[in-house]
Amino acid sequence: GQNIDQPTEMTATEGAIVQINCTYQTSGFNGLFWYQQHAGEAPTFLSYNVLDGLEEKGRFSSFLSRSKGYSYLLLKELQMKDSASYLCAVTDSWGKFQFGAGTQVVVTP
Amino acid sequence: GAVVSQHPSWVICKSGTSVKIECRSLDFQATTMFWYRQFPKQSLMLMATSNEGSKATYEQGVEKDKFLINHASLTLSTLTVTSAHPEDSSFYICSARGMSGRNEQFFGPGTRLTVL
């Protein structure tokens, strides 16, 4: 099985940086995804990590340490539209996703 | 590319009726689709894995006779909620697995089901 933990909520001001941590325990790891989900909408893909290290894509970066079962999503230069839930998802060798409960990020002016 | 659609986007029905939700991959073929359910302020919970041409694989605790899944073609999977009850009210999201080697899933826009 897989257990995925991430904080429930984080608040930050516009223009700031926020780091969302995700820890996982899995019996078969085949990659970690980060998704953004606005209320009432489907998740949209942000990043994918399968090897250790940092993946950078514009204002968003994601880091993975497989030995520690740890990942983080870094959001830089926060904008109001970044207020959303951020989901950490681990995939196994069968391609099944296990989602964390999501971290609600609130961006304030 | 990799667009997944769902229909309907929302539905309200009476208790005891059945509701069918369609999930289509618009510009790619998907041998595997997934059905999730999401309650308010909770994460996505995988209900079942739908494989084209074969029976769906249901997660523990999901009643296969209540949530009927049919994956008759490489671009269409349907979920039928039979004899719906208010506790089935939820946000149902499908996804389709892409063809890349990283098992990425592309999500549909979701269907909001409200059972009165």
Side-chain angles (χ1 to χ4, degrees):
Chain A
Q2 297 163 322
N3 294 313
I4 301 174
D5 293 311
Q6 51 181 129
T8 304
E9 185 172 313
M10 303 182 75
T11 301
T13 55
E14 208 171 0
I17 299 174
V18 68
Q19 176 174 316
I20 306 169
N21 296 323
C22 172
T23 58
Y24 63 90
Q25 295 175 312
T26 179
S27 56
F29 177 82
N30 199 32
L32 187 145
F33 290 82
W34 283 96
Y35 284 86
Q36 180 191 63
Q37 186 180 26
H38 287 96
E41 299 180 11
T44 55
F45 170 79
L46 289 179
S47 69
Y48 170 74
N49 295 73
V50 67
L51 299 176
D52 291 350
L54 186 68
E55 294 283 340
E56 296 186 85
K57 187 184 293 186
R59 295 190 297 115
F60 296 167
S61 303
S62 58
F63 171 83
L64 175 67
S65 169
R66 288 171 297 171
S67 62
K68 296 181 179 178
Y70 167 71
S71 173
Y72 68 71
L73 178 70
L74 195 69
L75 286 63
K76 293 177 278 189
E77 300 171 19
L78 278 175
Q79 302 175 9
M80 297 300 292
K81 66 179 182 179
D82 296 329
S83 292
S85 181
Y86 291 84
L87 307 174
C88 173
V90 173
T91 180
D92 62 17
S93 55
W94 296 99
K96 284 173 58 174
F97 276 27
Q98 180 75 34
F99 281 89
T103 299
Q104 186 66 43
V105 171
V106 178
V107 181
T108 60
Chain B
V3 178
V4 176
S5 70
Q6 268 183 255
H7 178 80
S9 55
W10 60 269
V11 57
I12 301 172
C13 68
K14 293 183 178 179
S15 184
T17 60
S18 295
V19 175
K20 180 187 283 187
I21 303 170
E22 294 185 347
C23 177
R24 295 181 184 273
S25 56
L26 297 185
D27 50 2
F28 67 104
Q29 293 182 332
T31 56
T32 304
M33 292 184 172
F34 301 89
W35 286 96
Y36 295 87
R37 180 168 52 184
Q38 185 177 35
F39 292 105
K41 298 190 177 181
Q42 295 186 24
S43 191
L44 283 75
M45 297 300 296
L46 179 64
M47 299 175 67
T49 302
S50 172
N51 297 298
E52 186 268 335
S54 63
K55 292 183 178 180
T57 304
Y58 290 81
E59 295 299 300
Q60 192 172 7
V62 178
E63 301 174 57
K64 62 179 181 180
D65 294 330
K66 180 171 180 62
F67 298 98
L68 302 178
I69 292 173
N70 184 282
H71 194 156
S73 77
L74 287 171
T75 59
L76 174 64
S77 175
T78 61
L79 168 69
T80 301
V81 183
T82 63
S83 186
H85 287 93
E87 57 264 30
D88 298 323
S89 298
S90 187
F91 193 48
Y92 292 84
I93 303 175
C94 73
S95 71
R97 180 187 291 167
M99 303 300 289
S100 70
R102 64 185 192 185
N103 290 325
E104 183 174 355
Q105 292 184 22
F106 300 94
F107 289 86
T111 297
R112 173 74 58 190
L113 171 63
T114 301
V115 184
L116 303 177

Short mmCIF file of all heavy atoms in Angstrom, two decimals, chain A residues 55-107:
data_model
loop_
_atom_site.label_atom_id
_atom_site.label_comp_id
_atom_site.label_asym_id
_atom_site.label_seq_id
_atom_site.Cartn_x
_atom_site.Cartn_y
_atom_site.Cartn_z
N GLU A 55 13.28 19.34 -10.57
CA GLU A 55 12.75 19.62 -11.89
C GLU A 55 12.15 21.02 -11.86
O GLU A 55 11.29 21.30 -11.03
CB GLU A 55 11.65 18.60 -12.26
CG GLU A 55 12.13 17.18 -12.44
CD GLU A 55 12.83 16.98 -13.77
OE1 GLU A 55 12.63 17.79 -14.69
OE2 GLU A 55 13.60 16.00 -13.89
N GLU A 56 12.61 21.87 -12.74
CA GLU A 56 12.13 23.25 -12.75
C GLU A 56 11.31 23.52 -14.00
O GLU A 56 11.70 23.15 -15.10
CB GLU A 56 13.30 24.22 -12.67
CG GLU A 56 14.08 24.11 -11.36
CD GLU A 56 15.14 25.19 -11.21
OE1 GLU A 56 14.79 26.29 -10.76
OE2 GLU A 56 16.30 24.92 -11.55
N LYS A 57 10.18 24.18 -13.79
CA LYS A 57 9.31 24.53 -14.90
C LYS A 57 8.67 25.87 -14.59
O LYS A 57 7.64 25.96 -13.92
CB LYS A 57 8.24 23.45 -15.09
CG LYS A 57 7.38 23.64 -16.33
CD LYS A 57 6.29 22.59 -16.42
CE LYS A 57 6.82 21.21 -16.66
NZ LYS A 57 5.73 20.23 -16.87
N GLY A 58 9.33 26.93 -15.05
CA GLY A 58 8.79 28.26 -14.81
C GLY A 58 8.79 28.60 -13.34
O GLY A 58 9.78 28.45 -12.63
N ARG A 59 7.63 29.02 -12.84
CA ARG A 59 7.53 29.41 -11.43
C ARG A 59 7.43 28.21 -10.51
O ARG A 59 7.53 28.33 -9.29
CB ARG A 59 6.31 30.33 -11.23
CG ARG A 59 6.39 31.65 -11.93
CD ARG A 59 5.26 32.58 -11.50
NE ARG A 59 3.95 32.06 -11.85
CZ ARG A 59 3.02 31.70 -10.96
NH1 ARG A 59 3.27 31.77 -9.66
NH2 ARG A 59 1.85 31.25 -11.36
N PHE A 60 7.21 27.04 -11.08
CA PHE A 60 7.03 25.84 -10.26
C PHE A 60 8.25 24.92 -10.38
O PHE A 60 8.77 24.69 -11.47
CB PHE A 60 5.78 25.07 -10.71
CG PHE A 60 4.48 25.80 -10.51
CD1 PHE A 60 3.31 25.34 -11.10
CD2 PHE A 60 4.41 26.95 -9.75
CE1 PHE A 60 2.10 26.01 -10.92
CE2 PHE A 60 3.21 27.63 -9.56
CZ PHE A 60 2.05 27.16 -10.16
N SER A 61 8.67 24.38 -9.26
CA SER A 61 9.75 23.40 -9.23
C SER A 61 9.33 22.25 -8.35
O SER A 61 8.59 22.44 -7.38
CB SER A 61 11.04 24.02 -8.66
OG SER A 61 11.43 25.16 -9.38
N SER A 62 9.82 21.07 -8.65
CA SER A 62 9.52 19.92 -7.80
C SER A 62 10.80 19.14 -7.56
O SER A 62 11.63 18.99 -8.45
CB SER A 62 8.45 19.03 -8.43
OG SER A 62 8.86 18.57 -9.70
N PHE A 63 10.90 18.64 -6.34
CA PHE A 63 12.09 17.92 -5.91
C PHE A 63 11.70 16.54 -5.42
O PHE A 63 10.62 16.36 -4.84
CB PHE A 63 12.78 18.70 -4.78
CG PHE A 63 13.90 17.94 -4.12
CD1 PHE A 63 15.16 17.93 -4.68
CD2 PHE A 63 13.68 17.22 -2.94
CE1 PHE A 63 16.20 17.22 -4.08
CE2 PHE A 63 14.72 16.51 -2.34
CZ PHE A 63 15.98 16.51 -2.90
N LEU A 64 12.59 15.59 -5.64
CA LEU A 64 12.33 14.22 -5.19
C LEU A 64 13.58 13.61 -4.56
O LEU A 64 14.67 13.75 -5.10
CB LEU A 64 11.89 13.34 -6.36
CG LEU A 64 11.69 11.86 -6.06
CD1 LEU A 64 10.50 11.64 -5.11
CD2 LEU A 64 11.51 11.05 -7.34
N SER A 65 13.36 12.93 -3.43
CA SER A 65 14.38 12.09 -2.84
C SER A 65 13.74 10.73 -2.60
O SER A 65 12.92 10.56 -1.69
CB SER A 65 14.90 12.66 -1.52
OG SER A 65 15.70 11.70 -0.84
N ARG A 66 14.09 9.76 -3.41
CA ARG A 66 13.48 8.45 -3.30
C ARG A 66 13.91 7.73 -2.02
O ARG A 66 13.11 7.03 -1.39
CB ARG A 66 13.84 7.59 -4.52
CG ARG A 66 13.13 8.04 -5.80
CD ARG A 66 13.67 7.31 -7.01
NE ARG A 66 15.09 7.62 -7.22
CZ ARG A 66 15.86 7.00 -8.09
NH1 ARG A 66 15.38 6.01 -8.83
NH2 ARG A 66 17.14 7.34 -8.23
N SER A 67 15.15 7.91 -1.61
CA SER A 67 15.62 7.23 -0.40
C SER A 67 14.90 7.72 0.83
O SER A 67 14.70 6.97 1.79
CB SER A 67 17.13 7.41 -0.24
OG SER A 67 17.45 8.79 -0.08
N LYS A 68 14.48 8.98 0.81
CA LYS A 68 13.76 9.54 1.96
C LYS A 68 12.25 9.49 1.79
O LYS A 68 11.51 9.86 2.71
CB LYS A 68 14.20 10.99 2.19
CG LYS A 68 15.66 11.14 2.56
CD LYS A 68 16.02 12.61 2.81
CE LYS A 68 17.48 12.74 3.21
NZ LYS A 68 17.87 14.16 3.42
N GLY A 69 11.79 9.07 0.65
CA GLY A 69 10.34 9.07 0.41
C GLY A 69 9.75 10.46 0.54
O GLY A 69 8.73 10.66 1.21
N TYR A 70 10.41 11.42 -0.12
CA TYR A 70 10.08 12.82 0.13
C TYR A 70 10.11 13.61 -1.17
O TYR A 70 10.98 13.41 -2.04
CB TYR A 70 11.11 13.39 1.11
CG TYR A 70 11.11 14.89 1.24
CD1 TYR A 70 10.07 15.57 1.87
CD2 TYR A 70 12.18 15.64 0.75
CE1 TYR A 70 10.09 16.95 2.00
CE2 TYR A 70 12.22 17.02 0.87
CZ TYR A 70 11.17 17.66 1.51
OH TYR A 70 11.18 19.02 1.64
N SER A 71 9.16 14.49 -1.29
CA SER A 71 9.11 15.41 -2.43
C SER A 71 8.61 16.75 -1.94
O SER A 71 7.94 16.85 -0.90
CB SER A 71 8.15 14.86 -3.50
OG SER A 71 7.95 15.80 -4.54
N TYR A 72 8.95 17.79 -2.66
CA TYR A 72 8.30 19.07 -2.41
C TYR A 72 8.01 19.77 -3.71
O TYR A 72 8.67 19.55 -4.73
CB TYR A 72 9.13 19.96 -1.47
CG TYR A 72 10.45 20.50 -2.02
CD1 TYR A 72 10.48 21.49 -3.00
CD2 TYR A 72 11.66 20.04 -1.51
CE1 TYR A 72 11.68 21.98 -3.49
CE2 TYR A 72 12.87 20.54 -1.99
CZ TYR A 72 12.88 21.50 -2.97
OH TYR A 72 14.07 21.99 -3.45
N LEU A 73 6.98 20.60 -3.66
CA LEU A 73 6.62 21.47 -4.77
C LEU A 73 6.88 22.89 -4.32
O LEU A 73 6.42 23.32 -3.26
CB LEU A 73 5.14 21.30 -5.13
CG LEU A 73 4.61 22.20 -6.26
CD1 LEU A 73 5.21 21.78 -7.60
CD2 LEU A 73 3.09 22.14 -6.32
N LEU A 74 7.64 23.62 -5.12
CA LEU A 74 8.00 24.99 -4.79
C LEU A 74 7.27 25.93 -5.74
O LEU A 74 7.39 25.80 -6.96
CB LEU A 74 9.51 25.17 -4.91
CG LEU A 74 10.12 26.41 -4.27
CD1 LEU A 74 10.04 26.32 -2.76
CD2 LEU A 74 11.58 26.56 -4.70
N LEU A 75 6.52 26.84 -5.17
CA LEU A 75 5.81 27.84 -5.97
C LEU A 75 6.45 29.19 -5.71
O LEU A 75 6.45 29.68 -4.58
CB LEU A 75 4.33 27.90 -5.59
CG LEU A 75 3.39 26.78 -6.03
CD1 LEU A 75 3.76 25.45 -5.43
CD2 LEU A 75 1.96 27.13 -5.68
N LYS A 76 6.97 29.80 -6.75
CA LYS A 76 7.65 31.08 -6.62
C LYS A 76 6.78 32.20 -7.20
O LYS A 76 5.90 31.96 -8.03
CB LYS A 76 9.01 31.04 -7.34
CG LYS A 76 10.01 30.09 -6.69
CD LYS A 76 11.31 30.03 -7.48
CE LYS A 76 11.21 29.08 -8.64
NZ LYS A 76 12.53 28.82 -9.28
N GLU A 77 7.08 33.41 -6.74
CA GLU A 77 6.37 34.60 -7.24
C GLU A 77 4.85 34.36 -7.26
O GLU A 77 4.19 34.48 -8.29
CB GLU A 77 6.86 34.94 -8.66
CG GLU A 77 8.34 35.25 -8.72
CD GLU A 77 8.85 35.37 -10.16
OE1 GLU A 77 8.02 35.58 -11.07
OE2 GLU A 77 10.06 35.23 -10.38
N LEU A 78 4.35 34.01 -6.11
CA LEU A 78 2.94 33.63 -6.00
C LEU A 78 2.01 34.68 -6.58
O LEU A 78 2.19 35.88 -6.39
CB LEU A 78 2.58 33.38 -4.54
CG LEU A 78 2.93 32.02 -3.95
CD1 LEU A 78 2.61 32.00 -2.47
CD2 LEU A 78 2.20 30.91 -4.68
N GLN A 79 0.98 34.17 -7.27
CA GLN A 79 -0.06 35.02 -7.81
C GLN A 79 -1.39 34.59 -7.21
O GLN A 79 -1.53 33.46 -6.74
CB GLN A 79 -0.09 34.89 -9.34
CG GLN A 79 1.22 35.25 -10.02
CD GLN A 79 1.21 35.01 -11.51
OE1 GLN A 79 0.17 34.73 -12.11
NE2 GLN A 79 2.38 35.13 -12.16
N MET A 80 -2.34 35.49 -7.25
CA MET A 80 -3.65 35.19 -6.66
C MET A 80 -4.25 33.94 -7.29
O MET A 80 -4.90 33.13 -6.62
CB MET A 80 -4.60 36.36 -6.81
CG MET A 80 -4.15 37.63 -6.08
SD MET A 80 -3.99 37.38 -4.30
CE MET A 80 -5.71 37.14 -3.85
N LYS A 81 -4.02 33.75 -8.59
CA LYS A 81 -4.60 32.60 -9.28
C LYS A 81 -3.99 31.27 -8.84
O LYS A 81 -4.49 30.20 -9.19
CB LYS A 81 -4.41 32.74 -10.79
CG LYS A 81 -2.96 32.68 -11.24
CD LYS A 81 -2.84 32.79 -12.76
CE LYS A 81 -1.39 32.67 -13.22
NZ LYS A 81 -1.27 32.76 -14.70
N ASP A 82 -2.90 31.34 -8.07
CA ASP A 82 -2.28 30.11 -7.57
C ASP A 82 -3.05 29.54 -6.37
O ASP A 82 -2.72 28.44 -5.89
CB ASP A 82 -0.83 30.36 -7.15
CG ASP A 82 0.04 30.77 -8.33
OD1 ASP A 82 -0.24 30.32 -9.47
OD2 ASP A 82 1.01 31.54 -8.12
N SER A 83 -4.01 30.28 -5.86
CA SER A 83 -4.84 29.76 -4.77
C SER A 83 -5.61 28.55 -5.29
O SER A 83 -6.44 28.64 -6.19
CB SER A 83 -5.84 30.83 -4.30
OG SER A 83 -5.18 31.89 -3.65
N ALA A 84 -5.29 27.39 -4.72
CA ALA A 84 -5.85 26.13 -5.21
C ALA A 84 -5.40 25.02 -4.27
O ALA A 84 -4.64 25.25 -3.33
CB ALA A 84 -5.40 25.83 -6.63
N SER A 85 -5.87 23.83 -4.57
CA SER A 85 -5.40 22.66 -3.84
C SER A 85 -4.30 22.00 -4.67
O SER A 85 -4.43 21.89 -5.89
CB SER A 85 -6.54 21.67 -3.60
OG SER A 85 -6.09 20.54 -2.87
N TYR A 86 -3.23 21.58 -4.02
CA TYR A 86 -2.12 20.95 -4.71
C TYR A 86 -2.01 19.50 -4.24
O TYR A 86 -1.88 19.23 -3.05
CB TYR A 86 -0.83 21.72 -4.45
CG TYR A 86 -0.88 23.07 -5.13
CD1 TYR A 86 -1.50 24.15 -4.52
CD2 TYR A 86 -0.35 23.25 -6.41
CE1 TYR A 86 -1.60 25.38 -5.16
CE2 TYR A 86 -0.45 24.47 -7.06
CZ TYR A 86 -1.07 25.52 -6.43
OH TYR A 86 -1.17 26.73 -7.07
N LEU A 87 -2.10 18.60 -5.18
CA LEU A 87 -2.16 17.18 -4.89
C LEU A 87 -0.85 16.50 -5.24
O LEU A 87 -0.34 16.65 -6.35
CB LEU A 87 -3.29 16.51 -5.67
CG LEU A 87 -4.68 17.13 -5.56
CD1 LEU A 87 -5.64 16.45 -6.52
CD2 LEU A 87 -5.19 17.02 -4.14
N CYS A 88 -0.34 15.74 -4.30
CA CYS A 88 0.82 14.90 -4.52
C CYS A 88 0.29 13.50 -4.85
O CYS A 88 -0.61 12.99 -4.15
CB CYS A 88 1.66 14.88 -3.24
SG CYS A 88 3.04 13.74 -3.21
N ALA A 89 0.80 12.88 -5.90
CA ALA A 89 0.31 11.56 -6.29
C ALA A 89 1.49 10.66 -6.62
O ALA A 89 2.39 11.05 -7.38
CB ALA A 89 -0.62 11.66 -7.49
N VAL A 90 1.48 9.48 -6.04
CA VAL A 90 2.53 8.50 -6.30
C VAL A 90 1.97 7.41 -7.18
O VAL A 90 0.84 6.94 -6.97
CB VAL A 90 3.04 7.91 -4.96
CG1 VAL A 90 4.01 6.76 -5.22
CG2 VAL A 90 3.71 8.99 -4.13
N THR A 91 2.74 7.00 -8.17
CA THR A 91 2.29 5.95 -9.05
C THR A 91 3.14 4.71 -8.87
O THR A 91 4.35 4.80 -8.61
CB THR A 91 2.31 6.42 -10.52
OG1 THR A 91 1.86 5.37 -11.37
CG2 THR A 91 3.70 6.84 -10.96
N ASP A 92 2.50 3.57 -8.98
CA ASP A 92 3.23 2.31 -8.79
C ASP A 92 3.53 1.68 -10.15
O ASP A 92 3.24 2.25 -11.19
CB ASP A 92 2.44 1.36 -7.88
CG ASP A 92 1.09 0.96 -8.46
OD1 ASP A 92 0.87 1.13 -9.68
OD2 ASP A 92 0.25 0.46 -7.70
N SER A 93 4.09 0.51 -10.10
CA SER A 93 4.52 -0.14 -11.34
C SER A 93 3.34 -0.53 -12.23
O SER A 93 3.50 -0.79 -13.42
CB SER A 93 5.37 -1.38 -11.04
OG SER A 93 4.67 -2.26 -10.18
N TRP A 94 2.14 -0.56 -11.65
CA TRP A 94 0.95 -0.87 -12.43
C TRP A 94 0.32 0.39 -13.03
O TRP A 94 -0.67 0.30 -13.75
CB TRP A 94 -0.08 -1.58 -11.55
CG TRP A 94 0.38 -2.91 -11.06
CD1 TRP A 94 0.91 -3.21 -9.84
CD2 TRP A 94 0.40 -4.14 -11.80
NE1 TRP A 94 1.24 -4.54 -9.77
CE2 TRP A 94 0.93 -5.14 -10.94
CE3 TRP A 94 -0.01 -4.50 -13.09
CZ2 TRP A 94 1.07 -6.46 -11.35
CZ3 TRP A 94 0.13 -5.82 -13.49
CH2 TRP A 94 0.67 -6.78 -12.63
N GLY A 95 0.89 1.53 -12.69
CA GLY A 95 0.36 2.77 -13.22
C GLY A 95 -0.78 3.34 -12.42
O GLY A 95 -1.40 4.32 -12.82
N LYS A 96 -1.07 2.73 -11.27
CA LYS A 96 -2.15 3.27 -10.44
C LYS A 96 -1.65 4.43 -9.62
O LYS A 96 -0.51 4.42 -9.15
CB LYS A 96 -2.67 2.17 -9.50
CG LYS A 96 -3.56 1.16 -10.19
CD LYS A 96 -3.90 0.01 -9.28
CE LYS A 96 -4.59 0.44 -8.03
NZ LYS A 96 -5.04 -0.73 -7.22
N PHE A 97 -2.51 5.44 -9.47
CA PHE A 97 -2.17 6.62 -8.69
C PHE A 97 -2.74 6.50 -7.29
O PHE A 97 -3.85 6.05 -7.09
CB PHE A 97 -2.78 7.87 -9.33
CG PHE A 97 -1.96 8.48 -10.44
CD1 PHE A 97 -1.10 7.72 -11.20
CD2 PHE A 97 -2.08 9.83 -10.72
CE1 PHE A 97 -0.36 8.29 -12.22
CE2 PHE A 97 -1.35 10.41 -11.74
CZ PHE A 97 -0.49 9.64 -12.50
N GLN A 98 -1.95 6.93 -6.32
CA GLN A 98 -2.45 7.14 -4.97
C GLN A 98 -2.26 8.61 -4.65
O GLN A 98 -1.13 9.11 -4.66
CB GLN A 98 -1.65 6.27 -3.97
CG GLN A 98 -2.11 6.42 -2.54
CD GLN A 98 -3.40 5.69 -2.25
OE1 GLN A 98 -3.68 4.64 -2.81
NE2 GLN A 98 -4.22 6.25 -1.38
N PHE A 99 -3.36 9.29 -4.38
CA PHE A 99 -3.28 10.72 -4.14
C PHE A 99 -3.18 11.03 -2.66
O PHE A 99 -3.80 10.37 -1.82
CB PHE A 99 -4.54 11.41 -4.68
CG PHE A 99 -4.53 11.62 -6.16
CD1 PHE A 99 -5.03 10.65 -7.02
CD2 PHE A 99 -4.02 12.79 -6.71
CE1 PHE A 99 -5.02 10.84 -8.39
CE2 PHE A 99 -4.01 12.99 -8.07
CZ PHE A 99 -4.51 12.03 -8.92
N GLY A 100 -2.44 12.07 -2.34
CA GLY A 100 -2.49 12.65 -1.01
C GLY A 100 -3.79 13.42 -0.87
O GLY A 100 -4.53 13.61 -1.83
N ALA A 101 -4.05 13.88 0.33
CA ALA A 101 -5.31 14.58 0.61
C ALA A 101 -5.34 15.98 0.02
O ALA A 101 -6.39 16.61 -0.03
CB ALA A 101 -5.56 14.63 2.11
N GLY A 102 -4.17 16.46 -0.41
CA GLY A 102 -4.13 17.78 -1.00
C GLY A 102 -3.78 18.86 0.01
O GLY A 102 -4.12 18.76 1.19
N THR A 103 -3.08 19.87 -0.46
CA THR A 103 -2.72 21.03 0.35
C THR A 103 -3.41 22.25 -0.23
O THR A 103 -3.18 22.61 -1.39
CB THR A 103 -1.20 21.26 0.35
OG1 THR A 103 -0.55 20.13 0.93
CG2 THR A 103 -0.85 22.51 1.15
N GLN A 104 -4.26 22.87 0.56
CA GLN A 104 -4.96 24.07 0.11
C GLN A 104 -4.03 25.26 0.31
O GLN A 104 -3.65 25.58 1.44
CB GLN A 104 -6.25 24.27 0.89
CG GLN A 104 -7.11 25.41 0.39
CD GLN A 104 -7.66 25.15 -1.01
OE1 GLN A 104 -8.10 24.05 -1.32
NE2 GLN A 104 -7.62 26.16 -1.86
N VAL A 105 -3.65 25.90 -0.77
CA VAL A 105 -2.80 27.10 -0.70
C VAL A 105 -3.69 28.33 -0.85
O VAL A 105 -4.47 28.42 -1.82
CB VAL A 105 -1.72 27.07 -1.79
CG1 VAL A 105 -0.99 28.41 -1.86
CG2 VAL A 105 -0.73 25.95 -1.52
N VAL A 106 -3.58 29.21 0.11
CA VAL A 106 -4.34 30.46 0.09
C VAL A 106 -3.35 31.60 -0.12
O VAL A 106 -2.43 31.78 0.69
CB VAL A 106 -5.12 30.66 1.40
CG1 VAL A 106 -5.86 31.98 1.37
CG2 VAL A 106 -6.09 29.50 1.62
N VAL A 107 -3.52 32.33 -1.19
CA VAL A 107 -2.65 33.47 -1.49
C VAL A 107 -3.39 34.74 -1.13
O VAL A 107 -4.52 34.98 -1.60
CB VAL A 107 -2.24 33.49 -2.98
CG1 VAL A 107 -1.31 34.68 -3.25
CG2 VAL A 107 -1.58 32.17 -3.37
#
